[in-house]
Amino acid sequence: MTSTAADVLRLLRVRGETLAVAESLTGGLVAAAITAAPGSSKSFRGSVTAYATDLKHQLLGVDATLLDQRGAVDPQVAAQMADGVRKALGADWGISTTGVAGPEEQDGQPVGTVYVAVAGPSAADSGVSGGGKVASLRLNGARTEIRMESVRSVLALLLEELAGEQTGNERAQNTEQNGGT
């Protein structure tokens, strides 16, 4: 996990961009994984652990009606958490985790139901299309295993988004250097 966090931070530094984290079921583990990597302070803005459902609305701007109708364990909630923390903490990228680590179901969702999300710079922010993605996970194992796999998954999703954009940018730069088409 630390190598994934280090890879994320390296790409963020290269791009001159920052990251913020919104966590629920992981309770600060994502932020801990990021800050365990040397040099994290250059790109990591901070985190919000919004464990209580009402805090997802109050601190992260998640739609209250959505929370009332679907509960906190929902892909749209994950997406809004990631975008909300990005805006609240003034970061280029936001990531989030929400789900059920157990031992009992929550909001009608079984243990192991997890949503992780990434929200990136919008076209208005950076002149490129923004990253935004939600992954739906069905995880097995005990509470600790579900939480740790959620951390790994959200960092991998962000790395995928950053690496995909980096590859696209490198291609664009190469086209320009070769006369463009």
Side-chain angles (χ1 to χ4, degrees):
M1 203 167 357
T2 302
S3 71
T4 303
D7 290 343
V8 161
L9 291 165
R10 180 184 52 77
L11 284 175
L12 287 168
R13 276 193 303 271
V14 165
R15 297 162 63 107
E17 293 177 336
T18 57
L19 172 65
V21 176
E23 300 186 65
S24 186
L25 85 147
T26 50
L29 293 172
V30 177
I34 291 166
T35 58
S40 58
S41 61
K42 292 181 176 105
S43 300
F44 184 59
R45 297 274 303 155
S47 65
V48 173
T49 300
Y51 211 66
T53 299
D54 61 317
L55 293 179
K56 290 171 181 64
H57 170 68
Q58 293 170 7
L59 299 177
L60 301 171
V62 176
D63 183 81
T65 303
L66 174 66
L67 289 166
D68 287 342
Q69 292 176 350
R70 297 193 193 162
V73 183
D74 182 81
Q76 267 188 280
V77 170
Q80 289 184 19
M81 286 174 64
D83 195 48
V85 79
R86 184 181 82 81
K87 291 174 182 171
L89 300 186
D92 298 297
W93 292 87
I95 59 176
S96 69
T97 62
T98 187
V100 186
E104 298 170 359
E105 72 173 32
Q106 177 187 335
D107 297 334
Q109 299 289 339
V111 172
T113 302
V114 175
Y115 299 99
V116 297
V118 172
S122 67
D125 292 338
S126 66
V128 298
S129 63
K133 187 180 256 185
V134 178
S136 171
L137 310 172
R138 298 293 180 259
L139 304 175
N140 295 314
R143 181 177 176 81
T144 300
E145 295 165 318
I146 290 169
R147 294 173 77 216
M148 294 310 294
E149 182 58 26
S150 298
V151 172
R152 190 203 64 74
S153 295
V154 76
L155 289 173
L157 184 64
L158 176 58
L159 183 60
E160 179 182 299
E161 289 293 298
L162 289 169
E165 282 200 0
Q166 187 71 22
T167 301
N169 289 340
E170 288 169 357
R171 271 193 232 116
Q173 290 170 357
N174 287 341
T175 302
E176 290 171 10
Q177 290 171 355
N178 294 325
T181 52

